[in-house]
Amino acid sequence: MYFFRIKYSIYISIIGFCLCGCESTTTKITNEHIYFGGEIINPNADYIVLYKDKDFQDTIYLDKNNRFLHKIEGIKEGLYSFRHNPEFQLILLEKGDSILMRLNTLEFDESLVFTGKGARKNNFLIDMFLQNEIERNQLQKRKFKKSPRFFKKEQDSLLDLRIKRFDRLTNKYDISDLSKKICKSSFEYDFFSRYELYLYKYQYHRLKNLDPNKEFSEGFFDYRKQVNFNDDDLMRLYSYNRFLNHYFTNSSYTKYMNKKSFSKSKVEYTMYKLDLVDSLIEHSYIKNNLLRGITTNFILDNKNDYTSQKVLNHYLSISTDKKIQKELVKLAKATARLKPNNIIPDQDLISSNGEMTKLSSLFEKPITALYFWSIERKDHYIQAHKKTDHLSKIYPDIDFIAINTDDEQTDNWLKTINRHNYDLSNEYEFKFPKCSSDELVIHYSNKVILVNQQGKIINPNADLFSSIFEKQLMSYSRMASIEKQKTVLD
């Protein structure tokens, strides 16, 4: 059954919107211009940023009523993304569009709705995004346990419903060929991605020496024949990029799946995957993004500095984006320093009473768990503090230290921790957020770094909400207790 969002009504015209506080303009709306405006409820900042690719970035400021209206000239038509920290979402812009959006940051994607000329295609895209997300989550919960035949039949029936909905849109309204292509791709590639993910799960978890050509019916992978690996129109589309990632994972896996020593983190497999991307993709933006993702994942998951450097060197030999190259070289160096038994790189912190202190001065208990949060992710920081408060009662020999990663947010940080009555003695913020986040490789919000009393790293990449996190704590706590007893006896 389709998921229909309850859309907010917006009774504002472009002209009326301007009169309500946005900067007005006497320029007539023509087919050569794009007008993009809207209202943000509960904004996290006083601006949004519009992106096309690495060469286009446009900052749009909100007025005192949290509204904006922006005239865009001389840009290429197609998919853009806009960012209002910390969230991203896509918008399809074509000449002659005059689009208003409304969103509430407390329910970013679910509340997002468009009105005006060009709204229908964008409302379709956001509806597809939300429906895709719901169905993918359902598949993950079921763990792809159905047979290949039943899985394909079930997913094809859902795809048919999407196609009928797309047909209703295009038959009823006059939509450009570009819009038709992007709207259709938004759900088609999501299904292609599901088929690829199913194949990977089936191969990796079920049978050794599996021949997909024998296990899967004829026509299961026919969609691959229509894929354009260098599609400039789709380079920002989530479902397209997700498909490419799953496709290259499968294609690389097939080469190695019959080898007993195969591991998805093996250096040979990763280098082959990089080469495969290099051989099939010519589009520099698509290619460099895929190469970056593959190499980044390897470096973050790998525990061997030599093989990390080997993969990094191979990546550097085929990538063409110098900026990304510098980022990954920096990432590899930082990751190499964050290995178990290494001393954690010291950082400058600000305490809740405004005093400057060093990270190294906080390790008073046998184990310290450092976790990180941002004001911009309210759900996360509330749940993170709630969980660590619970764990601190179970593990009294472990200190749970919260570190805020926001840049220039001291006043808001203090208001937040006081409003929630958090333990101020365990609350700190980075003095230099960007530098410290890079050095400690804070690449995902649930990350926890565990260190001992001497500042030696126990685990550089624990996950606060992982199912095994408490088991890890129990094990580390037991080890710390044994070490303490040894010290006493000595």
Side-chain angles (χ1 to χ4, degrees):
M1 181 179 293
Y2 272 97
F3 172 76
F4 294 97
R5 296 181 300 122
I6 300 175
K7 293 181 171 62
Y8 294 95
S9 296
I10 308 177
Y11 302 102
I12 310 173
S13 67
I14 289 288
I15 297 175
F17 189 85
C18 293
L19 294 175
C20 287
C22 287
E23 182 180 351
S24 62
T25 175
T26 57
T27 304
K28 292 181 67 176
I29 297 173
T30 73
N31 287 333
E32 294 302 311
H33 305 141
I34 297 169
Y35 284 87
F36 176 40
E39 179 181 10
I40 299 180
I41 312 298
N42 300 310
N44 297 318
D46 64 351
Y47 62 92
I48 67 170
V49 183
L50 188 68
Y51 300 91
K52 173 63 174 173
D53 51 41
K54 67 179 182 179
D55 297 321
F56 179 87
Q57 179 175 321
D58 197 1
T59 301
I60 306 171
Y61 288 93
L62 307 181
D63 69 8
K64 62 182 180 180
N65 297 311
N66 299 326
R67 295 170 178 169
F68 66 95
L69 181 62
H70 191 65
K71 179 182 176 182
I72 306 171
E73 299 179 274
I75 66 170
K76 182 180 179 182
E77 296 178 305
L79 273 176
Y80 288 72
S81 64
F82 65 89
R83 178 184 177 93
H84 183 69
N85 282 334
E87 304 280 359
F88 273 96
Q89 193 47 267
L90 296 178
I91 185 168
L92 174 52
L93 298 176
E94 295 174 281
K95 290 179 181 179
D97 283 345
S98 52
I99 300 174
L100 287 175
M101 75 170 190
R102 184 181 189 272
L103 67 84
N104 188 329
T105 60
L106 301 181
E107 293 181 316
F108 193 94
D109 296 322
E110 292 78 2
S111 70
L112 179 59
V113 63
F114 299 93
T115 58
K117 186 180 178 183
R120 289 188 179 96
K121 62 195 176 189
N122 282 294
N123 283 326
F124 183 89
L125 287 175
I126 190 64
D127 281 346
M128 291 301 100
F129 172 82
L130 292 169
Q131 184 65 27
N132 291 342
E133 194 173 59
I134 289 170
E135 291 177 5
R136 282 198 312 276
N137 289 337
Q138 291 171 344
L139 282 175
Q140 292 288 358
K141 288 178 181 177
R142 298 205 307 259
K143 298 182 178 178
F144 296 84
K145 289 183 178 178
K146 299 181 186 239
S147 68
R149 182 185 65 82
F150 190 88
F151 176 83
K152 187 70 163 59
K153 182 179 179 181
E154 178 188 63
Q155 295 304 310
D156 281 352
S157 67
L158 292 173
L159 177 56
D160 286 341
L161 291 174
R162 297 287 176 77
I163 292 172
K164 289 176 182 176
R165 189 174 177 189
F166 170 76
D167 288 342
R168 287 197 298 271
L169 174 74
T170 55
N171 291 335
K172 188 174 181 180
Y173 302 107
D174 183 20
I175 294 178
S176 71
D177 289 340
L178 175 62
S179 291
K180 289 177 183 177
K181 174 184 177 180
I182 292 174
C183 285
K184 191 174 184 181
S185 297
S186 71
F187 61 84
E188 276 192 333
Y189 273 100
D190 194 80
F191 281 89
F192 300 166
S193 176
R194 297 178 202 184
Y195 302 145
E196 293 292 336
L197 184 57
Y198 177 84
L199 173 61
Y200 177 77
K201 298 276 188 181
Y202 196 84
Q203 289 181 137
Y204 189 77
H205 293 295
R206 298 203 178 189
L207 298 171
K208 299 289 183 182
N209 304 314
L210 174 70
D211 183 353
N213 295 321
K214 294 179 181 179
E215 296 292 330
F216 291 80
S217 63
E218 185 178 354
F220 193 100
F221 302 106
D222 278 355
Y223 60 86
R224 289 178 174 177
K225 299 173 185 176
Q226 70 185 73
V227 172
N228 177 0
F229 290 98
N230 298 279
D231 201 319
D232 186 71
D233 294 330
L234 304 182
M235 67 179 184
R236 298 199 73 86
L237 189 65
Y238 301 135
S239 53
Y240 177 69
N241 286 288
R242 188 179 295 110
F243 163 76
L244 292 180
N245 276 300
H246 290 319
Y247 172 82
F248 283 107
T249 295
N250 272 340
S251 299
S252 305
Y253 180 87
T254 301
K255 180 179 175 67
Y256 286 94
M257 67 182 179
N258 294 330
K259 294 187 176 183
K260 292 181 180 179
S261 62
F262 171 78
S263 166
K264 59 183 176 182
S265 63
K266 282 287 184 182
V267 60
E268 296 85 3
Y269 161 77
T270 304
M271 291 172 65
Y272 175 81
K273 193 174 179 180
L274 292 171
D275 285 335
L276 191 61
V277 170
D278 187 44
S279 66
L280 291 181
I281 297 185
E282 298 175 357
H283 192 289
S284 61
Y285 183 90
I286 297 172
K287 176 188 285 190
N288 281 303
N289 274 348
L290 281 168
L291 294 177
R292 172 172 59 182
I294 294 166
T295 308
T296 297
N297 288 337
F298 183 89
I299 291 172
L300 292 175
D301 293 340
N302 192 42
K303 295 184 172 68
N304 185 297
D305 291 343
Y306 172 76
T307 54
S308 287
Q309 191 61 47
K310 189 173 182 180
V311 168
L312 178 63
N313 289 341
H314 193 64
Y315 157 80
L316 293 172
S317 71
I318 58 179
S319 70
T320 58
D321 192 309
K322 300 300 182 184
K323 182 179 179 181
I324 297 176
Q325 288 179 358
K326 290 179 182 178
E327 289 176 1
L328 292 192
V329 169
K330 190 175 180 180
L331 175 67
K333 289 178 179 178
T335 304
R337 290 192 290 268
L338 290 179
K339 291 288 189 291
N341 294 319
N342 285 359
I343 298 293
I344 189 170
D346 211 355
Q347 306 298 319
D348 292 317
L349 303 175
I350 304 173
S351 70
S352 58
N353 59 14
E355 294 181 354
M356 304 297 168
T357 188
K358 289 285 189 179
L359 178 64
S360 56
S361 68
L362 305 183
F363 310 140
E364 298 177 354
K365 291 188 178 181
I367 298 175
T368 298
L370 305 169
Y371 66 103
F372 311 92
W373 63 280
S374 166
I375 294 171
E376 294 167 350
R377 298 199 61 185
K378 184 176 181 180
D379 287 348
H380 170 260
Y381 76 68
I382 288 176
Q383 292 303 317
H385 280 84
K386 186 180 294 185
K387 180 157 188 179
T388 54
D389 182 60
H390 168 71
L391 292 173
S392 65
K393 295 179 176 65
I394 301 174
Y395 303 98
D397 57 342
I398 300 178
D399 238 347
F400 291 87
I401 303 293
I403 302 179
N404 181 266
T405 61
D406 292 316
D407 192 13
E408 298 180 1
Q409 292 264 13
T410 298
D411 289 342
N412 289 333
W413 165 64
L414 290 173
K415 289 177 184 177
T416 301
I417 59 178
N418 280 294
R419 184 170 66 248
H420 289 280
N421 295 315
Y422 293 147
D423 183 354
L424 299 183
S425 64
N426 288 330
E427 295 287 340
Y428 297 86
E429 69 171 350
F430 285 131
K431 184 177 181 181
F432 306 108
K434 178 66 170 64
C435 179
S436 293
S437 294
D438 288 346
E439 286 195 5
L440 298 183
V441 195
I442 304 171
H443 57 285
Y444 63 101
S445 57
N446 296 344
K447 172 165 175 163
V448 178
I449 302 177
L450 296 156
V451 298
N452 67 13
Q453 205 161 1
Q454 289 73 46
K456 287 186 177 181
I457 297 171
I458 300 171
N459 186 334
N461 284 310
D463 186 329
L464 181 60
F465 295 103
S466 167
S467 59
I468 65 170
F469 183 62
E470 286 200 52
K471 292 181 181 178
Q472 291 174 329
L473 290 184
M474 191 180 301
S475 173
Y476 300 144
S477 182
R478 190 182 299 117
M479 290 170 58
S481 179
I482 292 172
E483 289 297 320
K484 185 176 180 180
Q485 290 176 5
K486 286 182 179 179
T487 302
V488 171
L489 291 174
D490 291 342

